[in-house]
């Protein structure tokens, strides 16, 4: 065959008979050449699981649940972790599209950042790629989402501290454009009312160091109870209390969020609000599999109720 004929087949151009097209594609396969993306046929049984980090134990825990459920359905999970100097989230999306992935699951990341670019989500929507988002996402992305009810989480933590007699309660959450943090702040301000007045809310990076710095600022304002938006933030809060010569929970009570691995082994064991990771992970895979099978998925958000787990980091106010 002429080079022009082969070129037309590889570029999906008209003017080539079905028999000739089949012969060219068969020759590609026999000779070991990789077919162009648009000629690969059905999607591969790959599912991308995009995570913002692995340092927070809650993300590996979610990955374990989701991966296990995907494997049971015959899919191969592909872990896409954002790291400094590594691939960005949009680059992972392009890679998954090139590999003809069956779907993508985003656990946090740029879908939860109001100020981030969301062009790659619009690209996925345009391509008809099955997608599920985990935890609070920005509006109008057009994909189904599964999330812990952040409002209920703050209500549980705040109510617990109030029942112990704490009146000056602070909140430590993530950056201002982080959607789950926005929901927590809105609920906290509703509960605290005029007592909050912005004075007892601190935003920081999701890290132990961020929690320590933010809590140090709250302690200077006389808080006796601290609610944190993650368990690593709460561990940083405990460290800040001790740095000031105080004790947890005798002087200051601390509540975390996630109930990630080994929080029962912390010193003191951490009171925290548990995310129902198992149930959420199964729901995510069910929603994704339904889309892959051709079902039309509504862009609704399934809210799962968290559970307050009381341990040794909270006690009566002095």
């Amino acid at each position: 065959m002429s080079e022009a004929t082969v070129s037309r087949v590889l570029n999906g151009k008209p003017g080539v008979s079905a028999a000739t097209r089949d012969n060219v594609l068969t020759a590609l396969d026999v000779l070991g050449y990789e077919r162009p993306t648009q000629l690969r046929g059905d999607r591969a049984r790959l599912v991308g699981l995009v995570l913002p980090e692995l340092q927070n134990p809650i993300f590996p825990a979610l990955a374990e649940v989701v991966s296990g459920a995907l494997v049971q359905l015959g899919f191969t999970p592909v872990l896409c972790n954002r790291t400094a100097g590594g691939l960005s989230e949009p680059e992972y999306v392009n890679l998954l599209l090139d590999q003809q992935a069956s779907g993508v699951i985003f656990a946090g990341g740029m879908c939860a950042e109001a100020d981030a670019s969301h062009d790659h989500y619009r690209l996925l929507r345009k391509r008809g790629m099955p997608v599920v988002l985990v935890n609070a996402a920005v509006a109008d992305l057009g994909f189904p989402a599964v999330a812990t009810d952040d409002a209920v989480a703050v209500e549980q933590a705040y109510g617990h501290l109030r029942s112990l007699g704490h009146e000056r309660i602070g909140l430590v959450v993530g950056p201002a454009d982080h959607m789950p943090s926005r929901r927590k702040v809105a609920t906290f301000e509703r509960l605290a009312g005029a007592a909050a007045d912005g004075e007892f809310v601190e935003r920081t990076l999701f890290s132990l160091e961020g929690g320590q710095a933010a809590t140090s600022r709250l302690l200077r304002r006389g808080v006796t109870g601290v609610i944190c938006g993650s368990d690593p933030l709460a561990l940083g809060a405990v460290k800040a209390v001790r740095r000031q010569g105080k004790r947890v929970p005798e002087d200051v009570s601390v509540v975390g969020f996630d109930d990630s691995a080994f929080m029962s082994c912390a010193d003191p064991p951490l009171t925290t609000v548990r995310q129902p990771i198992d149930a959420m992970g199964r729901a995510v895979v069910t929603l994704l599999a339904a889309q892959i099978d051709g079902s039309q998925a509504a862009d609704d958000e399934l809210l799962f109720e968290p559970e307050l787990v009381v341990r040794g980091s909270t006690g009566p106010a002095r």
Side-chain angles (χ1 to χ4, degrees), residues 55-77:
Q55 291 184 340
N56 186 337
I58 199 66
F59 291 115
L62 176 65
E64 182 178 8
V65 174
V66 170
S67 298
L70 286 171
V71 169
Q72 288 180 354
L73 295 178
F75 294 101
T76 300

Side-chain angles (χ1 to χ4, degrees), residues 159-175:
H160 173 59
L161 292 176
R162 289 288 293 168
S163 71
L164 293 171
H166 295 276
E167 296 181 355
R168 297 178 69 83
I169 300 171
L171 177 69
V172 177
V173 290

Side-chain angles (χ1 to χ4, degrees), residues 34 37 40 44 46-48 50 78-81 87-104 120 123-124 127 129:
E34 185 176 2
T37 300
R40 291 178 191 169
L46 303 176
V47 171
V50 184
V78 179
L79 183 62
C80 305
N81 178 39
L87 292 180
S88 66
E89 194 171 291
E91 288 171 333
Y92 274 126
V93 166
N94 290 330
L95 178 63
L96 293 168
L97 287 172
D98 287 343
Q99 295 300 317
Q100 293 288 90
S102 294
V104 188
H120 54 295
L123 174 61
L124 290 170
R127 295 282 188 90
M129 175 71 78

Side-chain angles (χ1 to χ4, degrees), residues 155-243:
E155 288 170 356
Q156 292 176 345
Y158 189 86
H160 173 59
L161 292 176
R162 289 288 293 168
S163 71
L164 293 171
H166 295 276
E167 296 181 355
R168 297 178 69 83
I169 300 171
L171 177 69
V172 177
V173 290
D177 73 327
H178 184 244
M179 297 305 297
S181 295
R182 286 186 176 184
R183 292 184 178 184
K184 290 182 176 72
V185 169
T187 302
F188 179 79
E189 290 178 341
R190 173 175 58 82
L191 294 171
D197 194 29
E199 181 183 4
F200 297 129
V201 175
E202 285 290 339
R203 296 176 174 84
T204 186
L205 298 176
F206 279 107
S207 65
L208 188 148
E209 293 79 12
Q212 180 179 351
T215 302
S216 295
R217 294 191 291 271
L218 289 173
L219 292 175
R220 289 196 289 269
R221 298 170 200 151
V223 302
T224 63
V226 181
I227 302 170
C228 297
S230 74
D231 289 338
L233 287 177
L235 295 179
V238 172
K239 190 173 182 180
V241 172
R242 288 173 172 164
R243 271 291 184 88

Side-chain angles (χ1 to χ4, degrees), residues 22 39 45 63 77 105 115 118 124 129 137 153 157 171 192 196 228-229 237-238 265 275-276 306 308:
D22 289 341
L39 300 177
R45 302 283 287 180
I105 297 167
D115 296 341
H118 302 120
L124 290 170
M129 175 71 78
L171 177 69
C228 297
V238 172
C265 302
Q275 292 200 68
L308 178 68

